Amino acid sequence: MVWRYTDAETLVRRGADGQFYVAAQDVTAMLRDLARAFDQHAQSDETVRPTVDRTATARLDEDTMRTVASILRAQADEMDVQLIAIVGRHPLG
């Protein structure tokens, strides 16, 4: 069984300033899950819907899907590095 990250598992909290916040680890987990999804689509013959119009389907080429997956993983990795640096400079608690 493949683990899938869903919106139902994402805790969204409202801060004292009224803004909504999502934990950084949830954001990086979602980015990595999207990367896995693009990798899986690259290996399959399924169509993907890259547009806002949910009735239109298009087949993205394998290289494009793998490139998107790579970019999403790199963004998640960079976010982790930046957050570790922030916590190192400003320890919590």
Side-chain angles (χ1 to χ4, degrees):
M1 183 169 149
V2 176
W3 178 77
R4 298 288 301 167
Y5 200 89
T6 66
D7 291 338
E9 296 166 339
T10 304
L11 291 177
V12 178
R13 298 181 188 214
R14 185 182 295 265
D17 59 1
Q19 294 292 316
F20 289 107
Y21 293 92
V22 176
Q25 68 265 18
D26 289 341
V27 174
T28 57
M30 286 186 280
L31 289 171
R32 288 189 174 90
D33 188 55
L34 283 170
R36 278 190 299 275
F38 272 93
D39 279 334
Q40 288 172 350
H41 280 294
Q43 296 170 2
S44 73
D45 291 330
E46 296 177 37
T47 57
V48 279
R49 300 171 193 250
T51 62
V52 175
D53 179 6
R54 300 228 179 243
T55 61
T57 58
R59 176 74 183 140
L60 297 177
D61 66 277
E62 185 176 330
D63 289 340
T64 300
M65 287 190 281
R66 290 191 189 285
T67 299
V68 170
S70 175
I71 291 168
L72 290 169
R73 274 190 299 276
Q75 288 294 313
D77 292 345
E78 180 61 25
M79 188 176 200
D80 280 341
V81 168
Q82 294 296 324
L83 291 167
I84 290 167
I86 289 168
V87 170
R89 286 191 305 264
H90 307 284
L92 301 174

Coordinates of all heavy atoms in Angstrom, one line a residue:
M1 N 0.8 -1.2 0.0 CA 0.0 0.0 0.0 C 0.9 1.2 0.0 O 1.8 1.3 0.8 CB -0.9 0.0 1.2 CG -1.8 1.1 1.3 SD -3.0 0.8 2.7 CE -3.3 2.4 3.1
V2 N 0.5 2.2 -0.8 CA 1.3 3.4 -1.0 C 0.7 4.5 0.0 O -0.5 4.7 0.0 CB 1.3 3.9 -2.4 CG1 2.0 5.3 -2.5 CG2 1.9 2.9 -3.3
W3 N 1.6 5.1 0.8 CA 1.2 6.1 1.7 C 0.9 7.4 0.9 O 1.8 7.8 0.0 CB 2.2 6.4 2.7 CG 1.9 7.5 3.7 CD1 1.0 7.4 4.7 CD2 2.4 8.8 3.7 NE1 0.9 8.6 5.3 CE2 1.7 9.5 4.7 CE3 3.3 9.5 2.9 CZ2 2.0 10.8 5.0 CZ3 3.5 10.8 3.2 CH2 2.9 11.5 4.2
R4 N -0.2 8.1 1.1 CA -0.5 9.3 0.4 C -0.8 10.4 1.5 O -1.5 10.2 2.4 CB -1.7 9.1 -0.5 CG -1.6 8.1 -1.6 CD -0.7 8.6 -2.7 NE -1.2 9.8 -3.2 CZ -0.5 10.6 -4.0 NH1 0.7 10.3 -4.3 NH2 -1.0 11.7 -4.5
Y5 N -0.2 11.5 1.2 CA -0.4 12.7 2.1 C -1.7 13.3 1.6 O -1.9 13.6 0.5 CB 0.8 13.6 2.0 CG 0.8 14.5 3.2 CD1 1.6 14.2 4.3 CD2 0.2 15.7 3.1 CE1 1.6 15.0 5.4 CE2 0.2 16.6 4.2 CZ 1.0 16.2 5.3 OH 1.0 17.1 6.4
T6 N -2.6 13.6 2.5 CA -3.9 14.2 2.1 C -4.1 15.5 2.9 O -3.5 15.7 4.0 CB -5.1 13.3 2.4 OG1 -5.2 13.1 3.8 CG2 -4.9 11.9 1.7
D7 N -5.0 16.3 2.4 CA -5.4 17.5 3.1 C -5.9 17.2 4.5 O -5.8 18.0 5.4 CB -6.4 18.3 2.3 CG -5.9 18.9 1.0 OD1 -4.7 19.0 0.9 OD2 -6.7 19.1 0.1
A8 N -6.6 16.1 4.6 CA -7.2 15.8 5.9 C -6.1 15.6 7.0 O -6.4 15.8 8.2 CB -8.0 14.5 5.8
E9 N -4.9 15.3 6.6 CA -3.9 15.1 7.6 C -3.1 16.3 7.9 O -2.2 16.3 8.7 CB -2.9 14.0 7.0 CG -3.6 12.6 6.9 CD -2.7 11.7 6.0 OE1 -1.9 12.2 5.3 OE2 -3.0 10.5 6.1
T10 N -3.4 17.4 7.2 CA -2.6 18.7 7.4 C -3.3 19.5 8.4 O -4.5 19.9 8.2 CB -2.6 19.4 6.0 OG1 -2.0 18.6 5.1 CG2 -1.7 20.7 6.2
L11 N -2.6 19.8 9.5 CA -3.1 20.7 10.5 C -2.9 22.1 10.1 O -1.8 22.5 9.9 CB -2.4 20.4 11.8 CG -2.7 19.1 12.5 CD1 -1.9 18.9 13.8 CD2 -4.2 18.9 12.8
V12 N -4.0 22.8 10.0 CA -3.9 24.3 9.7 C -4.4 25.0 11.0 O -5.4 24.7 11.6 CB -4.8 24.6 8.5 CG1 -4.8 26.1 8.3 CG2 -4.4 23.9 7.3
R13 N -3.6 25.9 11.4 CA -3.9 26.6 12.7 C -4.0 28.1 12.4 O -3.3 28.6 11.5 CB -2.8 26.4 13.7 CG -2.8 24.9 14.1 CD -1.8 24.6 15.1 NE -1.7 23.2 15.2 CZ -1.5 22.5 16.3 NH1 -1.3 23.2 17.4 NH2 -1.4 21.2 16.3
R14 N -4.8 28.8 13.2 CA -4.9 30.2 13.0 C -4.0 30.9 14.1 O -4.2 30.5 15.3 CB -6.3 30.7 13.2 CG -6.5 32.2 12.9 CD -8.0 32.6 13.1 NE -8.8 32.0 12.1 CZ -9.2 32.6 11.0 NH1 -8.7 33.7 10.6 NH2 -10.0 32.0 10.1
G15 N -3.2 31.7 13.7 CA -2.3 32.4 14.7 C -3.0 33.6 15.4 O -4.1 33.9 15.0
A16 N -2.4 34.1 16.3 CA -2.9 35.3 17.1 C -3.2 36.5 16.1 O -4.0 37.3 16.4 CB -2.0 35.7 18.2
D17 N -2.4 36.5 15.0 CA -2.6 37.6 14.1 C -3.7 37.3 13.1 O -4.0 38.1 12.2 CB -1.3 37.8 13.3 CG -0.8 36.6 12.6 OD1 -1.5 35.5 12.6 OD2 0.3 36.6 11.9
G18 N -4.4 36.2 13.2 CA -5.5 35.9 12.3 C -5.1 35.1 11.1 O -6.0 34.7 10.3
Q19 N -3.8 35.0 10.8 CA -3.3 34.3 9.6 C -3.4 32.8 9.9 O -3.3 32.3 11.0 CB -1.9 34.7 9.3 CG -1.7 36.1 8.9 CD -2.4 36.3 7.5 OE1 -2.2 35.5 6.6 NE2 -3.1 37.4 7.4
F20 N -3.5 32.0 8.8 CA -3.5 30.5 8.9 C -2.0 30.1 8.7 O -1.3 30.6 7.9 CB -4.4 29.9 7.8 CG -5.8 30.1 8.0 CD1 -6.5 31.0 7.3 CD2 -6.5 29.4 9.0 CE1 -7.9 31.2 7.5 CE2 -7.8 29.6 9.3 CZ -8.5 30.5 8.5
Y21 N -1.7 29.0 9.4 CA -0.3 28.5 9.4 C -0.3 27.0 9.3 O -1.2 26.3 9.8 CB 0.5 28.9 10.7 CG 0.7 30.4 10.8 CD1 -0.2 31.2 11.4 CD2 1.8 31.0 10.2 CE1 0.0 32.6 11.5 CE2 2.0 32.3 10.2 CZ 1.1 33.1 10.9 OH 1.4 34.5 11.0
V22 N 0.6 26.5 8.5 CA 0.8 25.0 8.4 C 2.2 24.7 8.8 O 3.2 25.5 8.5 CB 0.6 24.6 6.9 CG1 0.9 23.1 6.7 CG2 -0.8 25.0 6.4
A23 N 2.4 23.6 9.5 CA 3.7 23.3 10.0 C 4.7 23.0 8.8 O 4.3 22.4 7.8 CB 3.6 22.0 10.9
A24 N 5.9 23.4 9.0 CA 6.9 23.3 7.9 C 7.1 21.9 7.5 O 7.2 21.6 6.3 CB 8.2 23.9 8.4
Q25 N 7.1 20.9 8.4 CA 7.3 19.5 8.0 C 6.1 19.0 7.2 O 6.3 18.1 6.4 CB 7.5 18.6 9.2 CG 6.3 18.4 10.2 CD 6.4 19.4 11.4 OE1 7.1 20.4 11.3 NE2 5.6 19.1 12.4
D26 N 4.9 19.6 7.4 CA 3.8 19.2 6.6 C 3.9 19.8 5.1 O 3.6 19.1 4.2 CB 2.4 19.8 7.1 CG 2.0 19.0 8.4 OD1 2.5 17.9 8.7 OD2 1.2 19.6 9.2
V27 N 4.5 21.0 5.0 CA 4.7 21.5 3.7 C 5.8 20.7 2.9 O 5.5 20.4 1.8 CB 5.2 23.0 3.8 CG1 5.5 23.6 2.4 CG2 4.1 23.8 4.4
T28 N 6.9 20.4 3.6 CA 7.9 19.6 2.9 C 7.4 18.2 2.6 O 7.7 17.6 1.5 CB 9.2 19.5 3.7 OG1 8.9 19.0 5.0 CG2 9.8 20.9 3.8
A29 N 6.5 17.6 3.4 CA 5.9 16.3 3.2 C 5.0 16.4 2.0 O 5.0 15.5 1.1 CB 5.2 15.8 4.4
M30 N 4.3 17.4 1.8 CA 3.4 17.6 0.7 C 4.2 17.7 -0.6 O 3.9 17.2 -1.6 CB 2.4 18.8 0.9 CG 1.3 18.5 1.8 SD 0.1 19.8 2.0 CE 0.9 21.0 3.0
L31 N 5.3 18.5 -0.6 CA 6.1 18.7 -1.7 C 6.7 17.3 -2.2 O 6.7 17.0 -3.4 CB 7.2 19.7 -1.4 CG 6.8 21.1 -1.3 CD1 8.0 22.0 -0.8 CD2 6.3 21.7 -2.7
R32 N 7.2 16.6 -1.2 CA 7.8 15.3 -1.5 C 6.7 14.3 -2.1 O 7.0 13.5 -2.9 CB 8.5 14.7 -0.3 CG 9.8 15.4 0.0 CD 10.6 14.7 1.0 NE 11.9 15.4 1.1 CZ 12.1 16.4 2.0 NH1 11.2 16.8 2.8 NH2 13.3 17.0 2.0
D33 N 5.5 14.4 -1.5 CA 4.4 13.5 -2.0 C 4.0 13.9 -3.4 O 3.8 13.0 -4.3 CB 3.2 13.6 -1.1 CG 2.1 12.6 -1.5 OD1 2.5 11.4 -1.5 OD2 1.0 13.0 -1.7
L34 N 4.0 15.2 -3.7 CA 3.7 15.6 -5.1 C 4.9 15.1 -6.0 O 4.6 14.7 -7.2 CB 3.6 17.1 -5.2 CG 2.3 17.7 -4.7 CD1 2.5 19.3 -4.6 CD2 1.2 17.4 -5.7
A35 N 6.1 15.2 -5.6 CA 7.2 14.6 -6.4 C 7.0 13.2 -6.7 O 7.2 12.7 -7.8 CB 8.5 14.9 -5.7
R36 N 6.6 12.4 -5.7 CA 6.4 10.9 -5.9 C 5.3 10.7 -6.9 O 5.4 9.8 -7.7 CB 6.0 10.3 -4.5 CG 7.2 9.9 -3.7 CD 6.8 9.0 -2.5 NE 5.9 9.6 -1.6 CZ 6.2 10.4 -0.6 NH1 7.5 10.7 -0.4 NH2 5.3 11.0 0.2
A37 N 4.2 11.5 -6.8 CA 3.1 11.4 -7.7 C 3.6 11.7 -9.2 O 3.2 10.9 -10.1 CB 2.0 12.4 -7.3
F38 N 4.4 12.7 -9.4 CA 4.9 13.0 -10.7 C 5.8 11.8 -11.2 O 5.7 11.4 -12.4 CB 5.6 14.3 -10.7 CG 4.7 15.5 -11.0 CD1 4.2 16.2 -10.0 CD2 4.4 15.8 -12.3 CE1 3.3 17.3 -10.3 CE2 3.6 16.9 -12.6 CZ 3.0 17.6 -11.6
D39 N 6.6 11.3 -10.3 CA 7.5 10.1 -10.7 C 6.6 8.9 -11.1 O 6.9 8.3 -12.1 CB 8.4 9.7 -9.5 CG 9.6 10.6 -9.5 OD1 10.1 11.1 -10.5 OD2 10.2 10.7 -8.4
Q40 N 5.5 8.7 -10.3 CA 4.6 7.6 -10.6 C 3.9 7.8 -12.0 O 3.8 6.9 -12.8 CB 3.6 7.4 -9.5 CG 4.2 6.8 -8.3 CD 3.2 6.8 -7.1 OE1 2.2 7.4 -7.2 NE2 3.7 6.1 -6.0
H41 N 3.5 9.0 -12.2 CA 2.9 9.3 -13.5 C 3.8 9.2 -14.7 O 3.5 8.7 -15.8 CB 2.3 10.7 -13.5 CG 0.9 10.8 -12.8 ND1 -0.2 10.2 -13.3 CD2 0.6 11.4 -11.7 CE1 -1.2 10.4 -12.5 NE2 -0.8 11.2 -11.5
A42 N 5.1 9.5 -14.4 CA 6.1 9.4 -15.5 C 6.3 7.9 -15.9 O 6.6 7.6 -17.0 CB 7.4 9.9 -15.0
Q43 N 6.1 7.0 -14.9 CA 6.2 5.6 -15.2 C 5.0 4.9 -15.7 O 5.0 3.8 -16.2 CB 6.6 4.8 -13.9 CG 8.0 5.3 -13.4 CD 8.2 4.7 -12.0 OE1 7.4 4.0 -11.4 NE2 9.4 5.1 -11.4
S44 N 3.8 5.6 -15.7 CA 2.6 5.0 -16.1 C 2.1 5.6 -17.4 O 2.7 6.5 -18.0 CB 1.5 5.3 -15.0 OG 1.1 6.6 -15.1
D45 N 1.0 5.1 -17.9 CA 0.4 5.6 -19.2 C -0.8 6.5 -18.9 O -1.5 6.8 -19.8 CB 0.0 4.5 -20.1 CG 1.2 3.7 -20.6 OD1 2.2 4.3 -20.8 OD2 1.0 2.5 -20.9
E46 N -0.9 6.9 -17.6 CA -2.1 7.7 -17.2 C -1.9 9.1 -17.7 O -0.8 9.6 -17.9 CB -2.2 7.8 -15.7 CG -2.5 6.5 -15.0 CD -2.5 6.6 -13.5 OE1 -3.0 7.6 -13.0 OE2 -2.0 5.7 -12.8
T47 N -3.1 9.8 -17.9 CA -3.0 11.2 -18.3 C -3.0 12.0 -17.0 O -3.5 11.6 -16.0 CB -4.3 11.6 -19.1 OG1 -5.4 11.3 -18.4 CG2 -4.3 10.9 -20.5
V48 N -2.4 13.2 -17.1 CA -2.4 14.1 -16.0 C -3.1 15.4 -16.4 O -3.2 15.7 -17.6 CB -1.0 14.4 -15.5 CG1 -0.5 13.3 -14.6 CG2 -0.1 14.7 -16.6
R49 N -3.7 16.1 -15.4 CA -4.4 17.3 -15.7 C -3.6 18.5 -15.2 O -3.7 18.9 -14.1 CB -5.7 17.3 -15.0 CG -6.6 16.1 -15.5 CD -7.8 16.0 -14.6 NE -8.4 14.7 -14.8 CZ -9.6 14.6 -15.4 NH1 -10.3 15.6 -15.9 NH2 -10.1 13.4 -15.6
P50 N -2.7 19.1 -16.1 CA -1.9 20.1 -15.7 C -2.5 21.5 -15.7 O -1.9 22.5 -15.3 CB -0.7 20.1 -16.7 CG -1.4 19.6 -17.9 CD -2.5 18.6 -17.5
T51 N -3.8 21.6 -16.1 CA -4.4 22.9 -16.2 C -5.5 23.0 -15.1 O -5.9 22.1 -14.5 CB -5.1 23.1 -17.6 OG1 -6.1 22.0 -17.7 CG2 -4.1 22.9 -18.7
V52 N -6.0 24.2 -15.0 CA -7.1 24.5 -14.0 C -8.4 23.9 -14.5 O -9.2 23.4 -13.7 CB -7.2 26.0 -13.8 CG1 -8.4 26.3 -12.9 CG2 -6.0 26.6 -13.2
D53 N -8.6 23.8 -15.8 CA -9.8 23.2 -16.4 C -9.7 21.7 -16.1 O -9.0 21.0 -16.8 CB -9.8 23.5 -17.9 CG -11.0 22.9 -18.5 OD1 -11.9 22.3 -17.8 OD2 -11.1 23.0 -19.8
R54 N -10.5 21.2 -15.2 CA -10.5 19.8 -14.8 C -11.1 18.9 -15.9 O -10.9 17.7 -15.8 CB -11.2 19.6 -13.5 CG -10.6 20.4 -12.4 CD -10.4 19.5 -11.2 NE -9.7 20.3 -10.1 CZ -8.5 20.0 -9.7 NH1 -7.9 19.0 -10.1 NH2 -8.0 20.7 -8.7
T55 N -11.7 19.4 -16.9 CA -12.2 18.6 -18.0 C -11.2 18.3 -19.1 O -11.3 17.4 -19.8 CB -13.5 19.2 -18.6 OG1 -13.1 20.5 -19.2 CG2 -14.6 19.4 -17.6
A56 N -10.2 19.1 -19.1 CA -9.1 18.9 -20.1 C -8.0 18.0 -19.6 O -7.6 18.1 -18.5 CB -8.5 20.3 -20.5
T57 N -7.6 17.1 -20.4 CA -6.5 16.2 -20.0 C -5.4 16.3 -21.0 O -5.6 16.6 -22.2 CB -6.9 14.7 -19.9 OG1 -7.4 14.3 -21.1 CG2 -7.9 14.6 -18.8
A58 N -4.2 16.1 -20.6 CA -3.0 16.2 -21.5 C -2.0 15.2 -20.9 O -1.9 15.0 -19.7 CB -2.4 17.6 -21.5
R59 N -1.2 14.6 -21.8 CA -0.2 13.7 -21.4 C 1.1 14.5 -21.4 O 1.6 15.0 -22.4 CB -0.1 12.6 -22.4 CG 1.1 11.6 -22.1 CD 0.8 10.8 -20.9 NE 2.0 9.9 -20.6 CZ 2.4 9.6 -19.5 NH1 1.9 10.1 -18.4 NH2 3.5 8.9 -19.3
L60 N 1.7 14.7 -20.2 CA 3.0 15.4 -20.1 C 4.1 14.3 -20.4 O 3.9 13.2 -20.0 CB 3.2 16.0 -18.8 CG 2.3 17.1 -18.3 CD1 2.6 17.5 -16.9 CD2 2.3 18.2 -19.3
D61 N 5.1 14.7 -21.1 CA 6.1 13.7 -21.4 C 6.9 13.3 -20.1 O 6.9 14.0 -19.1 CB 7.1 14.2 -22.5 CG 7.9 15.4 -22.0 OD1 7.4 16.5 -22.1 OD2 9.0 15.2 -21.6
E62 N 7.5 12.2 -20.2 CA 8.2 11.6 -19.0 C 9.3 12.5 -18.5 O 9.4 12.7 -17.3 CB 8.7 10.2 -19.4 CG 9.4 9.5 -18.3 CD 9.8 8.1 -18.7 OE1 9.2 7.5 -19.6 OE2 10.8 7.6 -18.1
D63 N 10.1 13.1 -19.4 CA 11.1 13.9 -18.9 C 10.6 15.2 -18.2 O 11.2 15.6 -17.2 CB 12.0 14.4 -20.1 CG 12.8 13.3 -20.7 OD1 13.1 12.3 -20.0 OD2 13.3 13.4 -21.8
T64 N 9.5 15.7 -18.6 CA 8.9 16.9 -18.0 C 8.4 16.5 -16.6 O 8.7 17.2 -15.6 CB 7.7 17.5 -18.8 OG1 8.2 17.9 -20.1 CG2 7.1 18.6 -18.1
M65 N 7.8 15.4 -16.5 CA 7.3 15.0 -15.2 C 8.4 14.7 -14.2 O 8.3 15.0 -13.0 CB 6.3 13.8 -15.3 CG 5.0 14.1 -15.9 SD 3.8 12.8 -15.8 CE 4.3 11.8 -17.2
R66 N 9.5 14.0 -14.7 CA 10.6 13.8 -13.8 C 11.3 15.1 -13.4 O 11.8 15.2 -12.3 CB 11.6 12.8 -14.5 CG 11.0 11.4 -14.6 CD 12.1 10.4 -15.0 NE 11.5 9.1 -15.3 CZ 11.0 8.3 -14.5 NH1 11.1 8.5 -13.2 NH2 10.5 7.1 -14.8
T67 N 11.4 16.0 -14.3 CA 12.0 17.3 -14.0 C 11.2 18.0 -12.9 O 11.7 18.6 -12.0 CB 12.1 18.2 -15.2 OG1 12.9 17.5 -16.2 CG2 12.7 19.6 -14.9
V68 N 9.8 18.0 -13.1 CA 9.0 18.6 -12.0 C 9.2 18.0 -10.7 O 9.3 18.6 -9.7 CB 7.5 18.6 -12.5 CG1 6.6 19.0 -11.3 CG2 7.3 19.5 -13.7
A69 N 9.2 16.6 -10.7 CA 9.5 15.9 -9.5 C 10.8 16.3 -8.8 O 10.9 16.5 -7.6 CB 9.4 14.4 -9.7
S70 N 11.8 16.4 -9.6 CA 13.1 16.8 -9.1 C 13.1 18.2 -8.5 O 13.7 18.4 -7.5 CB 14.1 16.7 -10.3 OG 15.4 17.2 -9.9
I71 N 12.4 19.1 -9.2 CA 12.3 20.5 -8.6 C 11.6 20.5 -7.3 O 12.0 21.2 -6.4 CB 11.7 21.4 -9.7 CG1 12.6 21.6 -10.9 CG2 11.3 22.7 -9.1 CD1 12.0 22.2 -12.1
L72 N 10.5 19.7 -7.2 CA 9.7 19.7 -6.0 C 10.6 19.1 -4.8 O 10.5 19.6 -3.7 CB 8.5 18.9 -6.2 CG 7.4 19.5 -7.1 CD1 6.3 18.5 -7.4 CD2 6.8 20.8 -6.4
R73 N 11.3 18.1 -5.1 CA 12.2 17.5 -4.1 C 13.3 18.5 -3.7 O 13.6 18.6 -2.5 CB 12.8 16.2 -4.6 CG 12.0 14.9 -4.3 CD 12.7 13.7 -4.6 NE 13.2 13.6 -6.0 CZ 12.4 13.2 -7.0 NH1 11.2 12.8 -6.8 NH2 12.9 13.1 -8.2
A74 N 13.8 19.2 -4.6 CA 14.9 20.1 -4.3 C 14.3 21.3 -3.5 O 15.0 21.8 -2.5 CB 15.5 20.7 -5.6
Q75 N 13.1 21.7 -3.8 CA 12.5 22.8 -2.9 C 12.3 22.3 -1.5 O 12.5 23.0 -0.6 CB 11.1 23.2 -3.6 CG 11.3 24.0 -4.8 CD 11.9 25.3 -4.6 OE1 11.6 26.0 -3.7 NE2 12.9 25.6 -5.4
A76 N 11.8 21.0 -1.4 CA 11.6 20.5 0.0 C 12.9 20.4 0.7 O 13.0 20.7 1.9 CB 10.9 19.1 -0.1
D77 N 14.0 19.9 0.0 CA 15.3 19.8 0.7 C 15.8 21.2 1.1 O 16.3 21.3 2.2 CB 16.3 19.1 -0.3 CG 16.0 17.7 -0.5 OD1 15.2 17.1 0.2 OD2 16.6 17.1 -1.5
E78 N 15.7 22.2 0.2 CA 16.1 23.5 0.5 C 15.4 24.1 1.7 O 15.9 24.8 2.6 CB 16.0 24.4 -0.7 CG 16.5 25.8 -0.4 CD 18.0 26.0 -0.1 OE1 18.8 25.1 -0.4 OE2 18.3 26.9 0.6
M79 N 14.1 23.9 1.7 CA 13.3 24.3 2.8 C 13.7 23.7 4.2 O 13.8 24.4 5.2 CB 11.8 24.0 2.6 CG 10.8 24.7 3.5 SD 9.1 24.3 3.0 CE 8.3 25.6 3.9
D80 N 14.0 22.4 4.1 CA 14.5 21.7 5.3 C 15.8 22.4 5.8 O 16.0 22.6 7.0 CB 14.7 20.2 5.1 CG 13.4 19.4 5.1 OD1 12.4 19.9 5.7 OD2 13.4 18.3 4.6
V81 N 16.7 22.6 4.9 CA 18.0 23.2 5.2 C 17.8 24.6 5.9 O 18.4 24.9 6.9 CB 18.9 23.3 4.0 CG1 20.1 24.1 4.2 CG2 19.3 21.9 3.5
Q82 N 17.0 25.4 5.2 CA 16.7 26.7 5.7 C 16.1 26.7 7.1 O 16.4 27.5 8.0 CB 15.9 27.5 4.8 CG 16.5 27.8 3.5 CD 17.8 28.7 3.6 OE1 17.8 29.6 4.4 NE2 18.8 28.4 2.8
L83 N 15.1 25.8 7.3 CA 14.5 25.7 8.6 C 15.4 25.2 9.7 O 15.3 25.7 10.8 CB 13.2 24.8 8.5 CG 12.1 25.4 7.7 CD1 11.1 24.4 7.3 CD2 11.5 26.6 8.3
I84 N 16.3 24.3 9.4 CA 17.3 23.8 10.3 C 18.2 24.9 10.7 O 18.5 25.1 11.9 CB 18.0 22.6 9.8 CG1 17.1 21.4 9.7 CG2 19.3 22.3 10.6 CD1 17.7 20.2 8.9
A85 N 18.6 25.8 9.8 CA 19.4 26.9 10.1 C 18.7 27.9 11.0 O 19.3 28.5 11.9 CB 19.9 27.6 8.8
I86 N 17.4 28.2 10.7 CA 16.7 29.1 11.5 C 16.6 28.6 13.0 O 16.8 29.3 13.9 CB 15.3 29.3 10.9 CG1 15.4 30.1 9.6 CG2 14.4 30.0 11.9 CD1 14.1 30.2 8.8
V87 N 16.2 27.3 13.1 CA 16.1 26.7 14.5 C 17.4 26.7 15.2 O 17.5 27.0 16.4 CB 15.5 25.3 14.4 CG1 15.5 24.6 15.7 CG2 14.0 25.4 13.9
G88 N 18.5 26.5 14.4 CA 19.8 26.6 15.0 C 20.2 27.9 15.6 O 20.9 28.0 16.6
R89 N 19.8 29.0 14.9 CA 20.0 30.3 15.4 C 19.1 30.8 16.5 O 19.4 31.6 17.3 CB 19.9 31.3 14.2 CG 21.1 31.2 13.2 CD 21.1 32.4 12.3 NE 19.9 32.5 11.5 CZ 19.7 32.0 10.3 NH1 20.6 31.3 9.7 NH2 18.5 32.1 9.7
H90 N 17.9 30.2 16.4 CA 16.8 30.6 17.4 C 16.1 29.4 17.9 O 15.0 29.0 17.6 CB 15.7 31.5 16.7 CG 16.3 32.7 15.9 ND1 16.8 33.8 16.6 CD2 16.5 32.9 14.6 CE1 17.2 34.7 15.7 NE2 17.1 34.1 14.5
P91 N 16.8 28.7 18.9 CA 16.2 27.5 19.4 C 14.9 27.7 20.0 O 14.6 28.7 20.6 CB 17.2 27.1 20.5 CG 18.5 27.9 20.2 CD 18.1 29.1 19.5
L92 N 14.0 26.8 19.8 CA 12.6 26.8 20.3 C 12.7 26.4 21.8 O 13.4 25.5 22.2 CB 11.7 25.9 19.5 CG 11.6 26.2 18.1 CD1 10.8 25.2 17.4 CD2 11.0 27.6 17.8
G93 N 11.8 27.0 22.6 CA 11.6 26.7 23.9 C 12.7 27.1 24.8 O 13.2 26.9 25.8

